Amino acid sequence: MFYVFLHALSASIHLLFLAASSLSWLWNKVTLTPTTREEHSKEEKHNSNNNNTIFKTTVFCSLALSVFSFVLCLFNYFYWYTSGWSEQNVSTLLDLALKTLAWGVVSVSLLKGFSFVLFFSEEEKRFRFSFFFRAWCTFYLVFSCYSFVVDIVVLSKRPIQYLVSDAVSTCAGLFFCFVAYFVKNKGHVNGIEEPLLNGDANVGNEKEATGGDTVTPFSHAGVFSILTFSWVGPLVAVGNKKTLDLDDVPQLDTRDSVVGAFPSFRDKLEADSDANAINSITTLKLVKNLVKSFLALLNTLASFIGPYLIDAFVQYLDGRRQYENQGYVLVFVFFFAKIVECLSQRHWFFRLQQIGIRMRALLVTMIYNKALTLSCQSKQGHTSGEIINFMTVDAERVGNFSWYMHDLWMVALQVVLALLILYKNLGLASIAALVATFVVMLANVPLGSLQEKFQNKLMESKDTRMKATSEILRNMRILKLQGWEMKFLSKITELRKTEQGWLTKYVYTTAMTTFVFWGAPTFISVVTIGACMLIGVPLESGKILSALATFRILQEPIYNLPDTISMIAQTKVSLDRISSFLRLDDLRSDVVEKLPRGSSDTAIEVIDGNFSWDLSSPNPTLQNINLKVFHGMRVAVCGTVGSGKSTLLSCVLGEVPKISGILKVCGTKAYVAQSPWVQSGKIEDNILFGEHMDRERYEKVLEACSLKKDLEIFSFGDQTVIGERGINLSGGQKQRIQIARALYQDADIYLFDDPFSAVDAHTGSHLFKECLLGLLSSKTVVYVTHQVEFLPAADLILYADLLNSGTDFMELVGAHKEALSTLDSLDGLATSNEISTLEQDLNVSSTHGFKEKEASKDEPKGQLVQEEEREKGKVGFWVYWNYITTAYGGALVPFILLAQILFEALQIGSNYWMAWATPISTDVEPPVGGSTLIVIYVGLAVGSSFCVLVRSMLLVTVGYKTTTVLFNKMHLCIFRAPMSFFDSTPSGRVLNRASTDQSTVDTDIPYQIGSFAFSMIQLLGIIAVMSQVAWQVFIVFIPVIAVRIWYQQYYIPSARELSRLVGVCKAPIIQHFAETISGTSTIRSFDHQSRFQETNMKLTDGYSRPKFNIVGAMEWLCFRLDMLSSITFAFSLIFLISIPPGIIDPGIAGLAVTYGLNLNMIQAWMIWNLCNLENKIISVERILQYTIIPNGPPLVVEDNRPDPSWPSYGEVDIQDLQVCYDPHLPLVLRGLTCKFYGGMKTGIVGRTGSGKSTLIQTLFRIVEPTSGQIMIDNFNISSIGLHDLRSRLSIIPQDPTMFEGTVRNNLDPLEEYTDEQIWEALDKCQLGDEVRKKDGKLDSTVSENGENWSMGQRQLVCLGRVLLKKSKILVLDEATASVDTATDNLIQQTLRQHFSASTVITIAHRITSVIDSDMVLLLNQGLIEEYDTPTTLLENKSSFAQLVAEYTMRSKSSFEKSVDH
């Protein structure tokens, strides 16, 4: 009677719905006028014109429910037609018939958009279910749940179809209530979000737009799409058809994008710093964490349902059945638990990784922003290499930690659940299991602390190595010129050896941890079974199998525990490092009092200013400074080397810490640094520097900076892409672009730090006249200069004797006068215009070495720096093969696999033994005695543990050896690469391989390859066990495996390309960061920090985009594979319950179920490992790319080594020399023939781009001749080794270079000279006293790039190097450009004194540097225009005479004016 009432009530509910919907429809028909009806029909069309996933799912569900009810109604009708009718049967049929009608009406109403079910809410701008329909859904759900519970309670008395019907109704009710109350997709706003029921309205149009222009479908996906990860399907489909490019990858949702998330994150941080950190945990944060925790909890609970039911399943197979259809109920519960486990695990993993991507992006942004505000003192403590490591390694690691976020509390929960199941099965013996579990966990404590310690040391040593690597890459040209590269390679190798020491300790500790935990489940099960025998707990196969299944589930968290602990250790180290960096002192904002434009007539005012770079030093860098500069004044700052001129400008910029005094600056500033800082990118972008294009102003600036001619000769004009650090520009061009950038900014105050020294005499005077006296005539200008001729134009001259160097102003002027004395007899001649031709000297094409492929679409091919090469298509088998066979030719690999196969065989054997040797129930006689049972089990367990130990030790040995070999190979190739490789390869690409990729190869890849192989072996083991019991499983297994392989093949092309895109998108972040660090003072002086921060955020998002989609794609695949595994498992169970009792051993069948429960996990683990391996192996691929860079010419040719005394005369004979940088580029030197006689001084002059530097580069074989030859003392330089050549020549380069280290190893890196010789050289170059003042003398420290030495002092150190070397041939490449005239005279005097018998070749911008040469060579566009003695050339009114006259006229007139002052 009760059941009749239930069905009658259900029928009434559905009848009520049908009546209400009919009345509503009639009401509309009667009350609506024709006009309103038309409007209403339009709205209904609008309502129904939709194809959102959630909408489609809702319609599909209602329709499916209607069909299901109809089918069940027919089935029951025919069944009861033959077996007879009852009241219950009639009420059931009526109920099903009304259900069919009601749900049919719902589906039609949804499709037609009837307002009775669906209406548009104007206030909320979205579609909603009507109040009546929502109330009806709620009532329907409550009733269905009640019926379902009744069915379960009285299962034995009711037919199975009732249970099925009520289960389906409950699920449908849940779904409709969820959609009705929780789904809130808003109306369409600017094409970004679609209304709830119009979600994919412009899917058709999306094909026209590229993926890169659209926001990820994840942001507006429906419930079904999110549940099944279908939103990532279109991207996987595109990747399967073509090679994915960044344009195909959709933009991130604002919640995942750092541009959208950072402002709120920053606000929260600021709130945290104001309030107590505990108070900052908002409800929102808690809810978010609870969602992830809920998924983790659900996953854990679902995973334990299987082990809990195994005993019942074994008893059922043995024939002890509690009620009818118990088998089907067990199968349903097993299957349902698997589905819940799969869904919760997939979404839990996805959300965790999503958080990781956000965390990484936010940290990178914080580190970048901090680097922009660091004070100079803080910056000295952290080199650019270290800061880059914070970004590349530490932030990445913190992001990866998200994986392990919930592991610790989950281990505790899993242990508790496991113990409850064990207690149910084994009683008090479960206490032994608890003790064993704790013993295993405690064993990890010392290992964990050791791991943290080694990880810390490993990171420190990596920092030191990266610091040295980035410095060496920056200065590779000078290392090549001096022939020092192999010495510096050995320095890197030494640093790597220290790093490897810690790496060895780290990986072997990890191996021990792996052994402890792979052996843990076996150890726990041995202890537990032993305890059972001691206490006398009866062993039954069902209970034992349930216990073993529990141990297997416990195995995963215990396996992962070492990883988790190691990851926590690593993350803690990384977070400590990042937080200590973020806590460093910023540049103090109170140094400069900034006044708004026009608020004062004084531009710069300093009152009693005391400033010091090092606040701990007792002597301030600048003391008692009093200075007042009015608007529109020109102020010249001059003084000797190291007197504090640049420091004075840095004070005005606010870069130098203030000890006391007042410093006021009124208006905006523009700054031109002494060392040019240009960004890689187009020349136009460098000049505009974030400002809008004003064509008229832009043209004026180009004219004033003499850039027009240069741009005409560049193939792409101002669209030419500048290489990293301006590698394809000459020093003069870089300086002029820098001046153009400052001029274009239209600031109030201009600060020039000696920009005229890097350009030739004519260009210098043109710049001074056009820029300072022309465009900037009404501006405030402070300029540092060494050229006395620029002083008369100043309104105020500051003579810097700020470091008490003892030289007074008149001495400086006297030096200038002396330099001009040789030219006194000359009359002034008309100045000629500069022919500013392309400085092809450095314009190296990218076709050398590694060809950087894939020029971006908007930049024509032929640019110097191309987009980074990335392989396309499948990761070649050769990459895997190379990796596996690198160590010991791959000899140990078979042993590792053998150890794992033995481990798996022994594991299966031990479990098989337990299933066979224990009785089904207590009333059955056991086949073997208790002692035999335990002895054999322990023997098998010990054997399997030993195999794990062997395997883990061999694996780390192979991994360590491989990483060492790859590191050495790659670095040797990089150091032996020709200079053209470094010109066309931004250092970010090399650094990325040396840090991130090397890190991956060091610690990740061995485990990834191992894990994949081991999971494959485990999977084969499970399949073997399941097929052993029921070979019929293969009926499903084979098609499922085929589908699985198809899915994997379908997915891998997209995942692989996305991984490569991640690698390619990372280098620009590093490069932009490195550039920013080197140009912070320039960026700050223009107040452009916010623009650079935005660029960094955009680049970070560009990196996160492919990363986010990789995560989505992997879960998309895993979800589908999990579903396939669950179907296979369910089929196996159905097969087992269908076999009549007695045919199959229930114990062995139970074993198959035990293993089957793990099928999902192992298969997901295998796929995850394979995909991760595909992603990580790209690091090996990228390193291998750099192990096949073509080498430069040999360093030593053994058959043709010159005599130790060569060259004895120093005669350089150039014969028909033709040089071009690339076969498809024009010749730079077009057939030079001349002779530099031994012991004579030769000056080389010529306009910018005439080929001066190319000639010197060819002499040092940085560039090889196309034809012709250079003979030194009748020895062809192309026939000997590079080191034999370069070690016999000396050069003082244009850019003075110092390395981090000590004074001693800066002068003598090869350690060839004694301390006495070094002191002698220092005294000769006037640095002896300076070094003696320092605490460490020769061991006093030199900071990165020699930044604690002035530019002039660095140049003197370069002079010291050549004085030590005492070569027969000395080259000066514009060596005195950045020193004052007095220091220039000092250098010239020193060279005359100590190199009187040597051949000296000088390239100079100052005519005085070459006027006392024995010979002068004038080059013009790669040809010799004049070559004779200076006297002859001056008498002949030659081009050289014009240059001299121009310089003299300018200098003499200026000089006379300065004397009048």
Side-chain angles (χ1 to χ4, degrees):
M1 198 62 205
F2 175 70
Y3 303 118
V4 174
F5 168 72
L6 266 183
H7 287 296
L9 187 60
S10 172
S12 311
I13 293 167
H14 289 91
L15 191 62
L16 174 71
F17 176 79
L18 285 168
S21 57
S22 305
L23 282 169
S24 170
W25 181 75
L26 279 169
W27 176 258
N28 285 345
K29 281 282 181 196
V30 173
T31 56
L32 291 180
T33 63
T35 318
T36 51
R37 193 173 296 152
E38 197 178 317
E39 285 171 12
H40 205 68
S41 68
K42 276 183 191 170
E43 190 183 313
E44 283 176 1
K45 272 182 191 167
H46 174 61
N47 288 5
S48 61
N49 177 24
N50 48 64
N51 54 0
N52 182 286
T53 316
I54 186 77
F55 172 74
K56 285 193 231 169
T57 314
T58 315
V59 174
F60 173 76
C61 275
S62 50
L63 199 60
L65 208 56
S66 177
V67 171
F68 174 76
S69 303
F70 180 67
V71 169
L72 205 59
C73 182
L74 280 179
F75 172 77
N76 283 341
Y77 174 76
F78 288 117
Y79 180 68
W80 290 322
Y81 186 78
T82 53
S83 60
W85 296 90
S86 67
E87 272 184 39
Q88 186 180 341
N89 295 353
V90 172
S91 62
T92 305
L93 279 179
L94 181 66
D95 179 24
L96 286 169
L98 287 169
K99 263 187 190 172
T100 305
L101 277 172
W103 285 110
V105 168
V106 170
S107 59
V108 171
S109 302
L110 283 169
L111 276 169
K112 293 288 183 184
F114 290 150
S115 56
F116 169 66
V117 171
L118 192 71
F119 74 99
F120 184 75
S121 164
E122 286 293 344
E123 305 84 48
E124 298 181 49
K125 297 285 178 227
R126 67 188 182 92
F127 291 94
R128 297 189 56 150
F129 287 144
S130 66
F131 174 75
F132 174 81
F133 185 62
R134 279 185 288 155
W136 184 77
C137 284
T138 310
F139 198 68
Y140 176 76
L141 172 66
V142 171
F143 185 80
S144 300
C145 285
Y146 177 70
S147 302
F148 187 46
V149 170
V150 168
D151 289 337
I152 291 171
V153 172
V154 290
L155 194 65
S156 52
K157 298 175 189 168
R158 301 252 288 165
I160 193 75
Q161 62 260 41
Y162 288 112
L163 178 74
V164 174
S165 172
D166 289 332
V168 169
S169 297
T170 305
C171 291
L174 274 168
F175 174 73
F176 275 94
C177 285
F178 177 75
V179 172
Y181 291 104
F182 298 109
V183 173
K184 291 188 177 180
N185 268 27
K186 303 241 168 161
H188 183 77
V189 185
N190 298 336
I192 291 171
E193 291 183 359
E194 298 290 346
L196 167 64
L197 299 176
N198 201 11
D200 294 344
N202 43 346
V203 161
N205 305 338
E206 263 178 33
K207 287 189 174 68
E208 292 164 29
T210 57
D213 300 332
T214 56
V215 177
T216 173
F218 175 70
S219 61
H220 53 256
V223 174
F224 183 76
S225 175
I226 283 176
L227 274 178
T228 60
F229 295 96
S230 303
W231 56 268
V232 87
L235 183 66
V236 178
V238 171
N240 200 45
K241 288 187 194 125
K242 67 183 262 290
T243 302
L244 281 181
D245 289 313
L246 200 56
D247 288 343
D248 301 311
V249 182
Q251 297 291 341
L252 292 169
D253 183 38
T254 45
R255 289 163 300 178
D256 295 309
S257 148
V258 76
V259 175
F262 185 71
S264 58
F265 176 73
R266 187 184 50 218
D267 297 343
K268 276 182 197 166
L269 265 185
E270 283 164 8
D272 286 1
S273 54
D274 297 339
N276 190 335
I278 295 169
N279 303 335
S280 71
I281 297 178
T282 60
T283 318
L284 181 72
K285 279 189 203 169
L286 272 174
V287 168
K288 280 186 176 174
N289 283 320
L290 281 172
V291 169
K292 296 1 172 251
S293 306
F294 172 71
L295 287 169
L297 181 68
L298 194 63
N299 176 256
T300 307
L301 293 173
S303 66
F304 276 95
I305 287 173
Y308 182 79
L309 292 176
I310 279 181
D311 189 27
F313 193 75
V314 171
Q315 300 303 334
Y316 174 84
L317 292 180
D318 195 35
R320 277 171 278 180
R321 298 170 189 197
Q322 296 171 11
Y323 49 86
E324 193 190 349
N325 297 324
Q326 183 195 357
Y328 290 103
V329 172
L330 283 170
V331 171
F332 176 75
V333 175
F334 269 125
F335 182 64
F336 185 71
K338 272 284 158 216
I339 298 292
V340 171
E341 184 186 349
C342 152
L343 274 170
S344 56
Q345 189 173 45
R346 296 283 59 90
H347 285 276
W348 168 39
F349 282 0
F350 174 70
R351 300 287 175 183
L352 287 183
Q353 290 180 86
Q354 191 183 9
I355 288 175
I357 291 168
R358 283 183 202 168
M359 274 166 34
R360 186 204 156 278
L362 289 168
L363 280 174
V364 164
T365 308
M366 283 177 73
I367 293 165
Y368 181 87
N369 292 356
K370 182 70 182 181
L372 265 179
T373 60
L374 270 190
S375 68
C376 292
Q377 246 185 320
S378 304
K379 207 168 159 189
Q380 279 182 353
H382 288 275
T383 58
S384 53
E386 265 181 277
I387 300 172
I388 286 167
N389 248 0
F390 291 139
M391 200 179 225
T392 52
V393 179
D394 293 304
E396 195 80 39
R397 183 166 286 129
V398 174
N400 291 342
F401 174 67
S402 62
W403 266 110
Y404 303 87
M405 218 178 262
H406 297 294
D407 281 14
L408 283 179
W409 70 261
M410 275 180 59
V411 167
L413 175 68
Q414 283 167 315
V415 168
V416 169
L417 286 173
L419 287 171
L420 289 173
I421 293 175
L422 289 174
Y423 186 76
K424 171 186 169 281
N425 288 325
L426 306 174
L428 287 173
S430 57
I431 294 168
L434 176 67
V435 172
T437 306
F438 277 122
V439 167
V440 165
M441 287 180 175
L442 284 171
N444 194 55
V445 174
L447 288 171
S449 61
L450 275 175
Q451 257 181 321
E452 182 180 0
K453 177 187 161 192
F454 296 150
Q455 175 68 26
N456 221 333
K457 295 288 188 187
L458 183 63
M459 289 310 299
E460 281 173 21
S461 50
K462 185 180 254 72
D463 277 350
T464 316
R465 173 174 64 80
M466 285 312 299
K467 194 161 121 183
T469 307
S470 65
E471 184 177 52
I472 287 167
L473 289 173
R474 260 200 314 276
N475 301 310
M476 189 53 88
R477 183 174 295 275
I478 190 73
L479 296 184
K480 296 264 182 202
L481 286 168
Q482 302 278 13
W484 289 344
E485 69 266 47
M486 297 324 281
K487 175 67 184 176
F488 277 77
L489 173 59
S490 66
K491 183 179 166 186
I492 293 285
T493 313
E494 283 306 309
L495 290 171
R496 173 67 180 173
K497 274 183 186 159
T498 313
E499 188 184 342
Q500 279 172 344
W502 294 114
L503 180 65
T504 316
K505 289 174 179 163
Y506 177 74
V507 293
Y508 279 104
T509 313
T510 311
M512 281 312 296
T513 318
T514 310
F515 161 64
V516 168
F517 284 95
W518 274 81
T522 315
F523 169 69
I524 296 169
S525 55
V526 166
V527 170
T528 311
I529 291 164
C532 284
M533 303 204 62
L534 287 173
I535 301 167
V537 174
L539 294 176
E540 297 170 26
S541 59
K543 289 186 166 60
I544 287 292
L545 287 169
S546 179
L548 289 176
T550 308
F551 294 141
R552 278 182 84 87
I553 286 197
L554 202 53
Q555 192 174 15
E556 192 193 2
I558 292 182
Y559 280 174
N560 290 344
L561 197 60
D563 265 358
T564 307
I565 289 170
S566 139
M567 199 64 199
I568 289 170
Q570 291 179 29
T571 307
K572 184 178 176 298
V573 168
S574 289
L575 277 173
D576 289 348
R577 283 156 51 83
I578 291 172
S579 60
S580 69
F581 174 69
L582 295 176
R583 284 197 300 269
L584 289 174
D585 291 337
D586 283 350
L587 204 63
R588 280 170 43 197
S589 54
D590 60 349
V591 172
V592 181
E593 191 182 324
K594 290 179 182 170
L595 304 173
R597 182 182 271 189
S599 61
S600 163
D601 59 346
T602 312
I604 303 166
E605 186 173 12
V606 189
I607 304 166
D608 297 331
N610 287 294
F611 303 90
S612 178
W613 286 111
D614 181 5
L615 290 172
S616 59
S617 164
N619 304 320
T621 314
L622 299 179
Q623 48 192 324
N624 304 326
I625 304 292
N626 285 286
L627 171 66
K628 197 166 195 175
V629 179
F630 294 101
H631 283 296
M633 274 178 83
R634 278 195 294 276
V635 180
V637 183
C638 61
T640 53
V641 166
S643 57
K645 304 181 295 295
S646 301
T647 305
L648 182 65
L649 293 193
S650 296
C651 287
V652 177
L653 292 172
E655 297 281 322
V656 187
K658 181 171 71 179
I659 300 170
S660 63
I662 297 168
L663 168 56
K664 294 179 184 172
V665 175
C666 175
T668 56
K669 307 179 295 292
Y671 170 61
V672 178
Q674 189 171 11
S675 304
W677 177 76
V678 289
Q679 282 181 279
S680 48
K682 293 175 189 162
I683 292 175
E684 181 191 283
D685 296 340
N686 265 282
I687 296 172
L688 295 181
F689 204 57
E691 296 289 313
H692 292 296
M693 169 62 88
D694 173 346
R695 184 53 67 181
E696 191 184 341
R697 177 155 58 123
Y698 183 71
E699 293 299 328
K700 273 187 192 167
V701 167
L702 290 183
E703 192 62 56
C705 296
S706 308
L707 280 168
K708 282 273 178 82
K709 291 263 170 55
D710 298 88
L711 295 182
E712 279 167 23
I713 292 166
F714 280 132
S715 315
F716 305 103
D718 63 0
Q719 299 304 302
T720 300
V721 174
I722 300 174
E724 193 179 18
R725 300 188 310 282
I727 204 89
N728 50 335
L729 301 175
S730 70
Q733 285 168 332
K734 280 189 276 192
Q735 195 63 277
R736 282 179 288 140
I737 286 171
Q738 204 185 204
I739 295 169
R741 175 174 64 209
L743 294 184
Y744 193 80
Q745 292 298 307
D746 194 26
D748 301 319
I749 301 166
Y750 282 82
L751 305 169
F752 289 94
D753 194 352
D754 195 20
F756 312 113
S757 59
V759 294
D760 58 57
H762 171 77
T763 313
S765 55
H766 174 86
L767 286 173
F768 189 79
K769 189 173 148 196
E770 294 296 325
C771 299
L772 269 74
L773 307 180
L775 284 178
L776 303 180
S777 54
S778 60
K779 306 281 187 183
T780 311
V781 183
V782 180
Y783 60 97
V784 169
T785 185
H786 291 127
Q787 282 128 305
V788 177
E789 60 270 23
F790 292 145
L791 297 179
D795 302 314
L796 175 68
I797 297 174
L798 299 177
Y799 175 68
D801 182 18
L802 308 165
L803 296 178
N804 308 317
S805 55
T807 314
D808 67 8
F809 181 56
M810 285 320 291
E811 211 172 302
L812 194 72
V813 175
H816 181 64
K817 197 170 180 181
E818 188 188 315
L820 286 170
S821 61
T822 32
L823 309 172
D824 269 348
S825 60
L826 286 163
D827 297 316
L829 293 168
T831 59
S832 64
N833 291 325
E834 179 193 14
I835 306 158
S836 179
T837 52
L838 165 64
E839 180 80 40
Q840 280 172 325
D841 302 12
L842 288 167
N843 194 359
V844 184
S845 161
S846 62
T847 49
H848 290 287
F850 237 171
K851 290 189 175 128
E852 299 288 359
K853 296 178 196 161
E854 295 211 355
S856 63
K857 294 177 183 67
D858 56 339
E859 286 160 17
K861 286 191 185 296
Q863 293 278 24
L864 174 85
V865 179
Q866 304 285 314
E867 264 187 34
E868 180 166 7
E869 175 182 354
R870 69 179 170 109
E871 302 288 339
K872 295 201 168 182
K874 209 166 184 179
V875 177
F877 175 71
W878 70 274
V879 175
Y880 292 96
W881 185 250
N882 253 355
Y883 182 82
I884 289 168
T885 56
T886 298
Y888 314 109
L892 292 181
V893 175
F895 293 103
I896 296 172
L897 291 174
L898 181 65
Q900 178 63 23
I901 290 165
L902 281 174
F903 166 73
E904 191 57 29
L906 290 169
Q907 282 269 300
I908 292 171
S910 61
N911 292 343
Y912 204 94
W913 168 253
M914 291 308 289
W916 176 81
T918 50
I920 291 293
S921 58
T922 43
D923 50 2
V924 177
E925 187 65 33
V928 293
S931 55
T932 314
L933 177 89
I934 196 79
V935 165
I936 290 179
Y937 186 66
V938 168
L940 292 167
V942 169
S944 68
S945 300
F946 177 72
C947 288
V948 170
L949 179 64
V950 170
R951 188 211 77 192
S952 48
M953 285 301 177
L954 286 177
L955 185 67
V956 296
T957 307
V958 169
Y960 173 74
K961 176 71 177 171
T962 306
T963 190
T964 309
V965 171
L966 286 177
F967 179 90
N968 292 340
K969 255 191 189 173
M970 175 173 80
H971 278 72
L972 180 65
C973 273
I974 290 170
F975 277 72
R976 284 287 291 111
M979 199 59 224
S980 55
F981 168 76
F982 298 96
D983 290 344
S984 60
T985 308
S987 61
R989 293 180 194 170
V990 183
L991 289 174
N992 205 356
R993 283 166 173 84
S995 64
T996 316
D997 292 325
Q998 189 62 50
S999 234
T1000 306
V1001 175
D1002 282 350
T1003 52
D1004 292 358
I1005 290 181
Y1007 300 109
Q1008 219 64 63
I1009 289 184
S1011 293
F1012 171 66
F1014 308 153
S1015 53
M1016 175 76 98
I1017 290 166
Q1018 273 189 294
L1019 189 65
L1020 292 171
I1022 290 176
I1023 292 170
V1025 169
M1026 287 179 76
S1027 56
Q1028 175 78 19
V1029 176
W1031 60 265
Q1032 290 84 346
V1033 171
F1034 279 110
I1035 297 167
V1036 172
F1037 235 104
I1038 288 165
V1040 163
I1041 284 175
V1043 173
R1044 195 178 281 164
I1045 289 167
W1046 178 84
Y1047 259 127
Q1048 206 174 316
Q1049 294 307 312
Y1050 182 74
Y1051 154 85
I1052 275 177
S1054 308
R1056 187 172 46 230
E1057 293 314 319
L1058 285 168
S1059 293
R1060 285 181 175 139
L1061 284 173
V1062 166
V1064 170
C1065 292
K1066 192 166 190 174
I1069 301 178
I1070 298 174
Q1071 194 184 332
H1072 180 247
F1073 194 16
E1075 274 179 1
T1076 305
I1077 292 169
S1078 60
T1080 38
S1081 50
T1082 304
I1083 295 165
R1084 291 197 286 233
S1085 67
F1086 287 100
D1087 290 323
H1088 273 239
Q1089 295 96 311
S1090 57
R1091 183 170 68 86
F1092 275 77
Q1093 286 167 356
E1094 276 170 33
T1095 306
N1096 174 62
M1097 289 202 276
K1098 280 176 190 158
L1099 288 170
T1100 306
D1101 276 346
Y1103 172 73
S1104 298
R1105 261 163 68 195
K1107 196 114 173 144
F1108 173 81
N1109 284 286
I1110 284 177
V1111 171
M1114 185 178 274
E1115 298 308 332
W1116 175 91
L1117 175 71
C1118 286
F1119 171 78
R1120 280 148 183 75
L1121 297 182
D1122 276 359
M1123 285 299 158
L1124 289 170
S1125 289
S1126 302
I1127 290 164
T1128 313
F1129 180 55
F1131 179 83
S1132 312
L1133 295 180
I1134 288 168
F1135 177 75
L1136 287 173
I1137 63 168
S1138 308
I1139 299 171
I1143 291 178
I1144 195 165
D1145 181 347
I1148 303 301
L1151 180 67
V1153 177
T1154 308
Y1155 271 87
L1157 284 171
N1158 258 22
L1159 188 64
N1160 267 25
M1161 191 185 88
I1162 297 291
Q1163 167 252 301
W1165 187 42
M1166 188 186 92
I1167 297 297
W1168 188 85
N1169 276 320
L1170 175 64
C1171 299
N1172 228 4
L1173 178 58
E1174 274 258 329
N1175 299 348
K1176 299 265 189 194
I1177 202 80
I1178 288 165
S1179 289
V1180 176
E1181 181 181 61
R1182 284 158 58 80
I1183 286 175
L1184 288 173
Q1185 274 180 350
Y1186 277 24
T1187 59
I1188 50 173
I1189 306 166
N1191 279 352
L1195 300 177
V1196 174
V1197 178
E1198 289 297 342
D1199 308 343
N1200 195 17
R1201 296 203 67 172
D1203 192 70
S1205 62
W1206 177 87
S1208 47
Y1209 301 108
E1211 182 178 276
V1212 180
D1213 187 7
I1214 299 169
Q1215 299 167 5
D1216 190 29
L1217 184 67
Q1218 294 187 350
V1219 176
C1220 71
Y1221 284 101
D1222 208 85
H1224 68 260
L1225 288 176
L1227 290 171
V1228 181
L1229 298 180
R1230 300 184 290 164
L1232 300 192
T1233 302
C1234 63
K1235 190 180 278 189
F1236 301 155
Y1237 295 100
M1240 290 179 80
K1241 315 278 177 286
T1242 305
I1244 303 178
V1245 289
R1247 306 287 186 198
T1248 302
S1250 55
K1252 307 185 293 291
S1253 295
T1254 305
L1255 179 56
I1256 299 306
Q1257 288 191 67
T1258 315
L1259 181 63
F1260 280 84
R1261 284 180 65 197
I1262 294 290
V1263 184
E1264 295 289 329
T1266 309
S1267 69
Q1269 56 185 18
I1270 299 179
M1271 308 288 283
I1272 296 181
D1273 286 2
N1274 299 319
F1275 219 96
N1276 183 350
I1277 62 167
S1278 297
S1279 64
I1280 59 172
L1282 291 181
H1283 272 191
D1284 281 338
L1285 169 68
R1286 291 169 186 170
S1287 61
R1288 313 296 171 89
L1289 308 177
S1290 284
I1291 184 166
I1292 302 182
Q1294 184 175 359
D1295 298 319
T1297 306
M1298 286 179 82
F1299 302 95
E1300 188 172 9
T1302 63
V1303 175
R1304 179 188 280 104
N1305 58 30
N1306 260 287
L1307 281 162
D1308 178 25
L1310 304 182
E1311 297 161 10
E1312 293 174 331
Y1313 305 101
T1314 62
D1315 281 9
E1316 288 72 30
Q1317 289 170 304
I1318 294 172
W1319 278 117
E1320 188 187 333
L1322 282 170
D1323 287 331
K1324 284 176 187 171
C1325 65
Q1326 309 294 308
L1327 277 176
D1329 295 339
E1330 187 67 37
V1331 176
R1332 283 187 186 93
K1333 276 187 219 162
K1334 297 185 183 286
D1335 295 340
K1337 305 284 189 290
L1338 288 181
D1339 292 319
S1340 56
T1341 55
V1342 175
S1343 65
E1344 192 178 13
N1345 295 332
E1347 276 171 7
N1348 56 345
W1349 293 62
S1350 77
M1351 198 73 146
Q1353 286 171 326
R1354 280 181 246 168
Q1355 197 63 283
L1356 292 175
V1357 169
C1358 294
L1359 173 63
R1361 286 177 191 150
V1362 302
L1363 288 168
L1364 267 178
K1365 209 170 176 183
K1366 293 182 183 135
S1367 299
K1368 201 69 185 159
I1369 297 175
L1370 170 64
V1371 176
L1372 307 178
D1373 186 0
E1374 295 167 1
T1376 54
S1378 49
V1379 294
D1380 58 78
T1381 318
T1383 312
D1384 185 7
N1385 287 349
L1386 169 81
I1387 291 175
Q1388 298 298 343
Q1389 200 179 329
T1390 310
L1391 294 175
R1392 273 196 290 272
Q1393 191 180 337
H1394 298 286
F1395 287 92
S1396 53
S1398 299
T1399 308
V1400 180
I1401 302 167
T1402 308
I1403 293 180
H1405 288 150
R1406 292 182 186 172
I1407 298 299
T1408 49
S1409 303
V1410 293
I1411 202 73
D1412 64 342
S1413 301
D1414 300 316
M1415 299 291 282
V1416 171
L1417 172 68
L1418 178 66
L1419 289 177
N1420 185 9
Q1421 297 192 341
L1423 292 167
I1424 296 175
E1425 194 169 311
E1426 296 164 1
Y1427 182 47
D1428 215 324
T1429 62
T1431 322
T1432 314
L1433 290 175
L1434 289 170
E1435 285 167 359
N1436 292 348
K1437 307 278 192 231
S1438 62
S1439 301
F1440 177 66
Q1442 286 181 324
L1443 280 174
V1444 173
E1446 182 185 310
Y1447 182 79
T1448 316
M1449 185 179 73
R1450 186 185 73 187
S1451 300
K1452 287 186 82 173
S1453 60
S1454 303
F1455 180 68
E1456 280 154 16
K1457 279 184 201 163
S1458 66
V1459 172
D1460 295 343
H1461 273 243

